[in-house]
Amino acid sequence: MPLSQMPAEILREVRARKWLALLLFTVVSFAVLVTGFLWPYKYESQVVIFVDDRNIIRPLMEGSAVTTQINDRTSAAKELLWSRSVVEQVATDPEIFGSDGANTDPVVLENRIAELRANLFVRPRGDSYFSIGYASESPNQAFQVAQRLGQLFIAENNERKRQESRSAYEFIDKQVKGYESQLAEVEERLKNFLSENVDGTEGDANQRMASLRNQIELAELERQEMFTRAQSLEAELNGINPMVSSGGATVDVYQNRINSLQEQLDNLRLRYHDTYPDIVILRQQIEQLQRQRDRAAANADPNRVITTGERSSNPVYQDVRTALAETRAAIQTRDTRIRALRALLNEQILRMERIQGNKTEYAELTRDMEVNKQIYDDLLKRRERARVSMHLDVEGQGLNYRINESAQFPRGASGPKFATFAVGGLFLGLLAPFGLIAGLLQIDPRVRARQQLEETVGLPVLVRLPEVKTPFERRRERRVTSMVIVCVVLVAAVYIAIAVGSMMGVIG
């Protein structure tokens, strides 16, 4: 049904069912009123606790001691009060429950403990305050239980603080002694390991191996250069005549050798750079032959007559031969050095294998010692702080609780009052018929408006025939309406009289 048609349809249905609306009004109103009579009204009493965590001891001992702290004070206080030891002291208190407090019947005691836990509450009241309260149908019992809970909380909290500090100190002291023995054992094992294994560390071995490899590479390079030089000298020696004519012909021999080496040098330069080892060796040989040629030219005698067939040893041949012998000797020296270096390298490889074999054990020993040392040092500091903290709690310093406001005798019940039920019942009774009819109209399948029919059939409605009542029907409806109004007034009067009488104490 369209919402615009709802008010008119609700009024029409109420007029059509006046007696039913009257009955619903009466039933709902008096039901709420009876609920107000039967509602369990409870009285609350509470103790306000002040958390004293800003005393002068805290800034003085900060960093040297840890004062006992509670992160969520409300939940911590509730957990403490819910403990069996605290609740049972209250449940067996004869000042609160009289002679029944000494009753040791397990069923009675458990029911009383469950009731105390259900009605106990802890509420925060600012940064440094919270309240401990109790709700009961008896104002005297609520007052006495709340007062007793506040006293037990203070006493139990102080005792727990002292016990907590003492337990913490004893635990840390036990751990310190345990780590002392572990640290001494690890140090002894490390000492024995180092005395049995004198190969050094992995870094020393790697450094020595790298140095040996560099020396071997350098010696092999020098050997290769000398080997190349020996080949060159050998080829040169094969091209030189061991015997030459005496006198001025010597200069020409040097020149011929220089020309031959220069030709080889030019050929190599076409294929390699000037830093190539063969090119460097040839250039050194050419320079040496040039110096020898100059000395031969300077020592030559121009007046000497060269006799045909006079021959002597070729000095160039002798020099090349001497250089070749020296080069071969140097190659053998390099070979000996390379073998010695490789033997040292193999020895270092074996040393590295031994070090690697002991590496795991050494790393484990050093790691255990470092970890144990760190934990031990930290525990020493914590033990001293725990000692000071224990003395603070024993002396009652640090975080303290004290009663800021004692429990007060409750003057009135908490929660909804009887007047609220009385006023609410009258309004709910008046709204009940209209609300019920509005709900029924939403689920009624009958067509009540033109818009519903047009949307369902899909055709426009041309005309709507109104309901026509006879004069007799109108007179009868007016009489019924008047009777219903009189009944509503009577029911409301009786309702108000009962409510006023109950609030004034006439009706108990």
Side-chain angles (χ1 to χ4, degrees), residues 78-184:
K78 190 171 184 180
E79 290 177 2
L80 189 148
L81 294 172
W82 267 53
S83 62
R84 178 80 183 189
S85 60
V86 175
V87 179
E88 191 169 349
Q89 292 183 55
V90 180
T92 57
D93 192 340
E95 295 182 1
I96 300 176
F97 297 99
S99 60
D100 294 337
N103 192 349
T104 57
D105 186 4
V107 177
V108 177
L109 182 61
E110 291 299 326
N111 292 335
R112 191 176 297 161
I113 289 176
E115 182 181 359
L116 287 172
R117 286 176 173 173
N119 296 314
L120 183 151
F121 61 87
V122 180
R123 298 169 183 168
R125 300 184 62 175
D127 295 336
S128 301
Y129 296 88
F130 64 90
S131 61
I132 300 173
Y134 184 76
S136 175
E137 296 180 4
S138 171
N140 186 47
Q141 187 180 81
F143 166 72
Q144 291 180 334
V145 172
Q147 188 175 23
R148 182 61 174 157
L149 286 174
Q151 295 171 354
L152 288 175
F153 173 77
I154 297 297
E156 189 71 17
N157 181 75
N158 292 335
E159 180 61 27
R160 288 196 176 189
K161 280 172 51 182
R162 289 190 289 269
Q163 184 63 30
E164 179 184 356
S165 299
R166 188 179 300 108
S167 300
Y169 173 77
E170 292 175 354
F171 173 78
I172 296 176
D173 183 64
K174 183 179 179 181
Q175 294 296 317
V176 168
K177 294 179 180 178
Y179 273 97
E180 281 181 354
S181 60
Q182 292 182 18
L183 188 61

Side-chain angles (χ1 to χ4, degrees), residues 318-335:
Q318 296 296 330
D319 293 340
V320 173
R321 184 176 180 181
T322 302
L324 178 59
E326 293 175 353
T327 303
R328 288 175 177 174
I331 292 175
Q332 293 179 357
T333 303
R334 294 298 185 277
D335 290 338

Side-chain angles (χ1 to χ4, degrees), residues 378-421:
D378 183 65
L379 286 175
L380 283 178
K381 297 178 182 178
R382 292 179 182 272
R383 185 178 65 176
E384 294 308 313
R385 296 174 65 183
R387 189 199 306 275
V388 179
S389 301
M390 181 178 63
H391 290 304
L392 285 177
D393 289 332
V394 170
E395 297 295 333
Q397 303 297 333
L399 179 64
N400 289 320
Y401 294 96
R402 58 183 177 86
I403 297 178
N404 185 70
E405 183 178 335
S406 301
Q408 302 296 323
F409 192 88
R411 297 181 179 179
S414 60
K417 305 297 188 294
F418 178 78
T420 305
F421 285 98

Side-chain angles (χ1 to χ4, degrees), residues 176-459:
V176 168
K177 294 179 180 178
Y179 273 97
E180 281 181 354
S181 60
Q182 292 182 18
L183 188 61
E185 181 181 355
V186 172
E187 289 177 348
E188 184 65 23
R189 289 168 54 192
L190 182 60
K191 178 181 178 182
N192 295 334
F193 176 82
L194 294 176
S195 62
E196 295 173 359
N197 299 273
V198 294
D199 291 324
T201 63
E202 183 180 1
D204 296 337
N206 285 328
Q207 185 177 2
R208 179 58 177 166
M209 290 172 63
S211 176
L212 290 174
R213 289 193 178 98
N214 291 334
Q215 294 181 31
I216 291 174
E217 291 177 357
L218 182 61
E220 288 180 348
L221 181 60
E222 293 177 352
R223 180 183 178 280
Q224 185 65 27
E225 292 177 355
M226 292 179 180
F227 185 77
T228 303
R229 182 178 180 183
Q231 289 181 340
S232 177
L233 291 174
E234 188 174 358
E236 182 182 353
L237 187 63
N238 293 331
I240 298 176
N241 191 355
M243 304 298 292
V244 295
S245 299
S246 301
T250 303
V251 177
D252 296 333
V253 173
Y254 282 115
Q255 187 61 44
N256 292 336
R257 183 56 187 157
I258 291 172
N259 293 336
S260 176
L261 293 178
Q262 187 66 42
E263 183 179 356
Q264 295 180 22
L265 179 62
D266 295 337
N267 293 332
L268 289 175
R269 282 181 170 176
L270 294 176
R271 292 176 294 174
Y272 306 102
H273 294 288
D274 289 344
T275 57
Y276 188 68
D278 291 349
I279 294 177
V280 174
I281 293 172
L282 288 175
R283 293 175 63 181
Q284 293 176 356
Q285 292 177 357
I286 291 174
E287 293 175 357
Q288 185 178 4
L289 290 173
Q290 287 177 350
R291 288 193 297 269
Q292 292 177 356
R293 182 196 61 187
D294 295 338
R295 286 198 301 270
N299 296 329
D301 186 2
N303 298 321
R304 182 180 176 181
V305 179
I306 301 174
T307 304
T308 303
E310 184 179 356
R311 300 177 64 84
S312 62
S313 298
N314 190 347
V316 176
Y317 181 84
Q318 296 296 330
D319 293 340
V320 173
R321 184 176 180 181
T322 302
L324 178 59
E326 293 175 353
T327 303
R328 288 175 177 174
I331 292 175
Q332 293 179 357
T333 303
R334 294 298 185 277
D335 290 338
T336 304
R337 182 180 180 185
I338 290 173
R339 286 193 298 270
L341 291 174
R342 286 179 177 172
L344 292 175
L345 181 61
N346 292 332
E347 182 180 348
Q348 290 300 316
I349 292 175
L350 295 177
R351 176 191 174 191
M352 176 60 72
E353 291 177 355
R354 293 193 300 270
I355 292 175
Q356 290 294 335
N358 298 327
K359 181 179 178 181
T360 303
E361 184 178 358
Y362 178 76
E364 182 179 357
L365 290 174
T366 54
R367 182 175 61 251
D368 290 346
M369 187 180 67
E370 291 175 359
V371 171
N372 289 335
K373 188 68 169 59
Q374 292 177 359
I375 298 177
Y376 177 74
D377 293 340
D378 183 65
L379 286 175
L380 283 178
K381 297 178 182 178
R382 292 179 182 272
R383 185 178 65 176
E384 294 308 313
R385 296 174 65 183
R387 189 199 306 275
V388 179
S389 301
M390 181 178 63
H391 290 304
L392 285 177
D393 289 332
V394 170
E395 297 295 333
Q397 303 297 333
L399 179 64
N400 289 320
Y401 294 96
R402 58 183 177 86
I403 297 178
N404 185 70
E405 183 178 335
S406 301
Q408 302 296 323
F409 192 88
R411 297 181 179 179
S414 60
K417 305 297 188 294
F418 178 78
T420 305
F421 285 98
V423 177
L426 194 61
F427 278 101
L428 289 176
L430 291 174
L431 294 177
F434 298 96
L436 180 61
I437 291 174
L440 293 175
L441 289 178
Q442 293 298 324
I443 60 176
D444 189 3
R446 292 178 295 176
V447 177
R448 295 175 177 269
R450 174 185 296 181
Q451 184 178 356
Q452 288 179 285
L453 185 60
E454 291 177 348
E455 291 179 354
T456 303
V457 180
L459 297 175

